[in-house]
Amino acid sequence: MDQTSQSATPVTIHDDAAMADGSTGRPILRINRSESGTRGKTAEDTDSVVNLDSPDLYINRELSHLQFNIRVLEQALDTSHPLLNRLMFLLIFSSNLDEFFEIRVAGLMRQVAFSREKSEADGLMPQDVLRQISDICHAEIERQYSILNDQLIPAMEEEGIGFLRRTDWSKAQAAWVADFFHNQIQPIISPIGLDPSHPFPRLVNKSLNFIVALEGKDAFGREGGLAIIPAPRSLPRLIRVPDEISKEGDNFVFLSSMIHAHAEELFPGMKVKGCYQFRLTRNADMIVDPEEVSDLASALRGELLSRRYGDAVRLEVVDNCPEALINVLLEQFGLTEQELYKVNGPVNLTRLMAVMGEVDRPNLMYPPFTPGTAKPLRRGNSILEAMSQNDILLQHPFESFTPIIDLLREAARDPDVLAIKQTLYRTGSDSEIVDALVDAARNGKEVTVVVELRARFDEADNLQLASRLQEAGAVVIYGVVAYKTHAKMMHIVRREGNNIRHYAHLGTGNYHAKTAKLYTDYSFLTSDSHLCEDVHKVFLQLSGMGKTLNMKKLLHAPFTLQKTLVEKIDREIELAQQGKPARLIFKCNSLTDPKTIKALYRASQAGVECNLIIRGMCCLRPGIEGVSDNIQVRSIIGRFLEHTRVYYFQNDGNDEVFCASADLMERNLYKRVETCFPVSSKKLAQRVKNDLETYLLDNCQSWQLQLDGHYLPAQADRPEDAEEISAQETLLDAYAQQS
């Protein structure tokens, strides 16, 4: 009997993660299965059995985001990383979590507050997501402080890096602290007593503060009560103790300890019954209505001022603070126990990052390396000349970012270069890229720069560099108000004899020299006439007005990128249905777009081998029989931040490789200006594919996504006698020069 005509039994798979709050869980999938397996093999037949729009097929994006942050925190436990790098991972977890609350949690709370709740593809409502976030974050933050206090600090003390507690200060150290307090802290600190004429102060987002319980009467006869001490933001949170009064090594005192030790001196004649540090996290998202903005720069300047005082979303309090004082704070900020985090240590851990610059311990960090130089650029000749002969592909940080800066410098000086166009998203206020553009404008080149002012948390820097470029004579535009310009591209126009020649740089990462040393990204240098013409057309769209222009090679969002990627997935499906080998490899930061996920589910159902390397959020559930059993999802977390976006299609042996500025997220595909460019050279395309295969072999720093949304480290399944393969170390050895 044909199995599709047999009676089917519904099978339910439960999501353990959904039961963390004590509920019985909800089914994540119902598949009609016969005795011999899932009904049907073709996409059309299986589609009729499994509804690919079912919420059970999708992982919540915010919970997936948290899983990424947990993987970052896990690196602090990985002894294969040097000690100070482990500390750095722990602090990056703090920084990531700050932004997660400022943006993602704040957005969910805003939906609830204004009764505008809506679910995503996973079907969870904001209140349910907030509850799960609270459960996960409370557990992970407690674990974070346990790692810091029980493992990292003792390990650093063994290496001579100490954090001196008040109870352990020697007489000499206590005297030095007192002197520092009187000379450096007390003159700029402003304690605020709380009474009818001194209402609760408006505290800046993520600032360090103390709530103080007082006893006695002041000079005006006011009874003691409560006071707030805002720690000066101009002072470092970690102060180095002079070598002459400390034991060997590097020793530090927290600013919070200094203030705590001398809090009573800020309230003369009063008795301090208790002094407890706390920190408030606020909504830091900036909302600009494109229909109401006539001047984007002016609107953003106004929003930047308000960002520091957005709605409260999280309260961190030292864990020995009395409940009565905690309740005062919760009531003041309109928060509940769900948003309260009691911590066993400093409430602003990110400021511990200062340790990296204060200690000279190369043995406790990854050894330095010299980025490699691509063969076409080793001769030291003109970069433009090298580009005119062949396409050039660079992979940062293993290969140097300097050629990109040198290219701009060369173009700025070259008398035959007529025009330079550039997009800037995250660049840095002291950027060499901006220096070169300023020089080009002053040298009489036609310089046009598309500055994306709304690059989150870089708005102030971008406003500053935009002003600097305008003062130099460059034409500065801010793209399209409703669409962020996230594309990474440069266009150079040069007169060569009687002809005009075009050159372009396209990348997967930002024009930021510092992050180019920490993020993995591809840079593509080309003089391909069709590709350069496409880049020119994108700049025309950004600076002018007109209908969508047809591209010859470039895929670009919000117009053709998502549609074309799905078409290429469908082509792999057709090949698989013809019995031919079919495969795709996607590598990007996030995969959340339901339309793309459904296309990948259809591909899996048709038998296409889908290898996904997704560093952060992934809303697709792999391993569901009959839906995603041909999909594997892995995340690489290591020394460098994985940032490359690559889309590979086997295409019946005619491999296609695309690199992009875009992740597979709704915002990138539909609400941003993005570029995705083909790597046409067979040699370079093969190199990118080899890089992808290296990532797929990683069994040291890769994590496998499970059906329930959790990740398991690849090491857990690695046989004892198996060779250890780290993709990042392999690429570092291949492309860079070790010091």
Side-chain angles (χ1 to χ4, degrees):
M1 182 184 295
D2 180 72
Q3 77 176 51
T4 58
S5 62
Q6 296 179 23
S7 60
T9 304
V11 173
T12 300
I13 304 172
H14 286 281
D15 182 1
D16 293 336
M19 294 187 281
D21 60 357
S23 65
T24 57
R26 63 180 178 85
I28 65 164
L29 180 66
R30 295 181 65 83
I31 306 178
N32 290 328
R33 297 177 63 196
S34 65
E35 293 179 359
S36 52
T38 304
R39 291 177 52 190
K41 293 298 291 181
T42 67
E44 292 82 0
D45 186 40
T46 313
D47 229 357
S48 66
V49 177
V50 180
N51 176 15
L52 296 184
D53 288 314
S54 170
D56 302 325
L57 296 178
Y58 299 87
I59 299 169
N60 179 267
R61 59 169 287 162
E62 316 305 352
L63 300 181
S64 180
H65 195 164
L66 273 183
Q67 287 294 320
F68 163 66
N69 287 327
I70 291 170
R71 295 195 296 281
V72 172
L73 178 59
E74 288 286 343
Q75 305 308 304
L77 292 168
D78 186 347
T79 55
S80 67
H81 296 301
L83 179 58
L84 288 181
N85 289 100
R86 290 170 61 195
L87 174 65
M88 190 179 298
F89 280 116
L90 182 129
L91 304 182
I92 290 171
F93 170 79
S94 274
S95 178
N96 287 353
L97 216 56
D98 283 349
E99 184 174 340
F100 180 74
F101 275 91
E102 289 175 297
I103 305 299
R104 307 309 314 174
V105 172
L108 293 170
M109 292 176 68
R110 189 177 181 85
Q111 284 189 48
V112 174
F114 288 93
S115 299
R116 294 177 181 172
E117 295 183 71
K118 61 178 181 179
S119 63
E120 302 294 338
D122 59 277
L124 286 176
M125 297 301 288
Q127 284 186 326
D128 298 322
V129 178
L130 286 170
R131 276 194 294 271
Q132 292 195 45
I133 287 173
S134 178
D135 291 342
I136 295 170
C137 286
H138 277 92
E140 294 303 324
I141 289 172
E142 182 178 348
R143 190 163 72 103
Q144 176 194 22
Y145 278 87
S146 175
I147 294 170
L148 176 66
N149 294 324
D150 300 337
Q151 298 193 42
L152 296 184
I153 286 180
M156 285 190 286
E157 287 175 344
E158 289 182 8
E159 296 289 346
I161 301 174
F163 303 94
L164 306 181
R165 300 175 182 272
R166 295 196 312 278
T167 53
D168 297 331
W169 293 344
S170 66
K171 288 184 178 180
Q173 290 166 350
W176 173 81
V177 167
D179 184 67
F180 189 97
F181 178 83
H182 295 142
N183 292 305
Q184 304 291 331
I185 301 175
Q186 193 169 20
I188 57 175
I189 205 165
S190 298
I192 302 167
L194 301 182
D195 63 23
S197 63
H198 297 82
F200 203 99
R202 197 177 182 194
L203 302 178
V204 174
N205 182 32
K206 296 186 296 185
S207 60
L208 172 63
N209 301 278
F210 298 82
I211 184 168
V212 182
L214 298 171
E215 190 176 73
K217 289 186 178 182
D218 73 356
F220 298 96
R222 295 175 298 181
E223 287 288 348
L226 299 179
I228 300 296
I229 305 175
R233 294 174 67 84
S234 58
L235 291 178
R237 296 301 185 253
L238 202 62
I239 296 98
R240 188 185 184 94
V241 179
D243 293 342
E244 57 268 23
I245 60 168
S246 61
K247 55 187 178 182
E248 291 185 4
D250 302 280
N251 295 280
F252 302 89
V253 172
F254 287 102
L255 175 69
S256 56
S257 295
M258 291 183 165
I259 293 175
H260 199 157
H262 294 275
E264 204 157 83
E265 296 180 37
L266 298 171
F267 307 94
M270 308 287 286
K271 180 177 178 58
V272 172
K273 296 171 61 180
C275 178
Y276 310 96
Q277 56 178 302
F278 70 93
R279 187 174 78 141
L280 183 69
T281 307
R282 296 182 180 274
N283 182 343
D285 204 5
M286 299 203 314
I287 301 173
V288 177
D289 188 342
E291 296 182 0
E292 297 182 2
V293 172
S294 58
D295 183 337
L296 182 59
S298 296
L300 281 174
R301 287 189 182 96
E303 285 290 317
L304 281 171
L305 294 173
S306 63
R307 166 182 278 172
R308 302 169 72 185
Y309 300 105
D311 294 336
V313 296
R314 175 182 60 167
L315 175 64
E316 296 166 278
V317 181
V318 68
D319 59 4
N320 64 344
C321 184
E323 289 297 321
L325 297 186
I326 290 175
N327 291 333
V328 168
L329 294 173
L330 289 175
E331 183 178 357
Q332 174 64 38
F333 302 130
L335 298 175
T336 68
E337 290 280 341
Q338 184 170 288
E339 293 88 45
L340 170 67
Y341 292 83
K342 299 178 181 179
V343 300
N344 182 19
V347 296
N348 50 347
L349 283 182
T350 307
R351 290 292 196 99
L352 271 174
M353 199 73 77
V355 171
M356 310 303 169
E358 290 285 342
V359 301
D360 183 19
R361 301 295 184 87
N363 61 311
L364 300 182
M365 299 191 73
Y366 276 112
F369 67 93
T370 301
T373 303
K375 285 185 180 179
L377 303 176
R378 290 177 189 170
R379 303 180 188 93
N381 298 330
S382 161
I383 296 178
L384 288 169
E385 182 182 340
M387 292 170 65
S388 70
Q389 297 173 9
N390 291 292
D391 291 343
I392 301 169
L393 183 73
L394 307 175
Q395 187 173 12
H396 315 305
F398 316 119
E399 293 179 292
S400 176
F401 183 75
T402 301
I404 312 306
I405 301 172
D406 290 344
L407 170 62
L408 260 182
R409 286 173 173 162
E410 180 183 337
R413 294 190 304 265
D414 189 334
D416 293 323
V417 168
L418 306 175
I420 302 173
K421 296 182 179 181
Q422 173 102 37
T423 60
L424 297 179
Y425 190 74
R426 299 188 192 278
T427 305
S429 57
D430 56 349
S431 167
E432 293 179 276
I433 291 281
V434 176
D435 292 343
L437 290 169
V438 166
D439 290 342
R442 289 174 176 167
N443 290 340
K445 316 298 182 188
E446 295 296 324
V447 177
T448 303
V449 185
V450 182
V451 178
E452 181 46 70
L453 296 180
R454 293 160 296 173
R456 185 174 292 144
F457 299 116
D458 281 317
E459 299 93 345
D461 282 348
N462 286 357
L463 283 165
Q464 182 179 342
L465 67 87
S467 297
R468 186 178 170 212
L469 287 164
Q470 287 170 328
E471 290 170 2
V475 176
V476 177
I477 57 178
Y478 304 129
V480 184
V481 172
Y483 298 85
K484 282 187 180 181
T485 302
H486 194 248
K488 327 296 185 189
M489 55 185 186
M490 178 199 308
H491 181 219
I492 297 171
V493 181
R494 187 173 188 265
R495 179 182 285 115
E496 299 181 359
N498 295 324
N499 299 315
I500 297 293
R501 186 85 182 259
H502 297 257
Y503 299 84
H505 169 265
L506 292 155
T508 66
N510 299 298
Y511 291 104
H512 198 302
K514 290 182 180 178
T515 57
K517 297 177 182 178
L518 303 172
Y519 294 9
T520 67
D521 273 306
Y522 282 116
S523 274
F524 188 64
L525 299 165
T526 184
S527 61
D528 179 285
S529 58
H530 293 312
L531 202 49
C532 289
E533 182 183 349
D534 288 347
V535 170
H536 173 60
K537 289 178 179 178
V538 176
F539 276 111
L540 286 179
Q541 287 181 334
L542 291 170
S543 62
M545 300 183 73
K547 296 291 185 181
T548 305
L549 299 173
N550 293 326
M551 304 288 170
K552 294 182 179 179
K553 287 191 173 183
L554 203 65
L555 309 180
H556 68 312
F559 305 108
T560 61
L561 177 52
Q562 195 274 342
K563 176 184 176 183
T564 306
L565 288 178
V566 169
E567 287 174 352
K568 293 183 182 298
I569 294 172
D570 288 339
R571 184 184 60 195
E572 296 297 318
I573 291 173
E574 291 174 6
L575 292 169
Q577 291 171 342
Q578 295 168 18
K580 297 179 179 180
R583 186 188 186 199
L584 59 85
I585 308 173
F586 286 0
K587 182 177 184 295
C588 59
N589 300 328
S590 299
L591 169 60
T592 66
D593 176 48
K595 292 180 182 178
T596 305
I597 291 174
K598 281 189 282 188
L600 291 168
Y601 282 154
R602 293 197 308 271
S604 174
Q605 291 172 329
V608 178
E609 181 184 353
C610 302
N611 297 122
L612 307 181
I613 308 166
I614 313 295
R615 184 199 78 210
M617 293 181 287
C618 181
C619 296
L620 176 150
R621 290 189 188 271
I624 302 174
E625 187 176 355
V627 177
S628 57
D629 38 3
N630 288 311
I631 300 177
Q632 287 190 339
V633 180
R634 65 177 56 213
S635 170
I636 306 291
I637 307 291
R639 173 179 180 178
F640 305 107
L641 181 77
E642 288 300 328
H643 200 249
T644 49
R645 290 98 166 195
V646 182
Y647 305 110
Y648 162 81
F649 303 90
Q650 188 170 355
N651 189 27
D652 197 18
N654 300 307
D655 293 359
E656 285 188 343
V657 173
F658 293 84
C659 296
S661 62
D663 292 310
L664 299 175
M665 302 175 70
E666 299 92 321
R667 71 184 187 191
N668 297 87
L669 299 173
Y670 312 118
K671 291 295 182 182
R672 288 186 172 184
V673 177
E674 303 272 15
T675 52
C676 179
F677 53 94
V679 181
S680 301
S681 161
K682 288 187 177 180
K683 181 179 179 180
L684 297 181
Q686 184 61 47
R687 173 186 160 179
V688 175
K689 184 187 175 187
N690 291 344
D691 291 346
L692 293 173
E693 297 286 7
T694 302
Y695 281 108
L696 293 175
L697 290 173
D698 189 296
N699 58 14
C700 293
Q701 296 173 323
S702 66
W703 296 71
Q704 297 281 354
L705 175 59
Q706 308 300 302
L707 186 149
D708 67 357
H710 289 86
Y711 287 76
L712 292 180
Q715 303 94 294
D717 295 327
R718 187 179 67 208
E720 288 186 9
D721 58 347
E723 179 186 3
E724 294 185 4
I725 301 173
S726 163
Q728 291 187 354
E729 290 299 321
T730 301
L731 295 173
L732 191 64
D733 289 340
Y735 297 125
Q737 303 172 35
Q738 298 286 340
S739 296

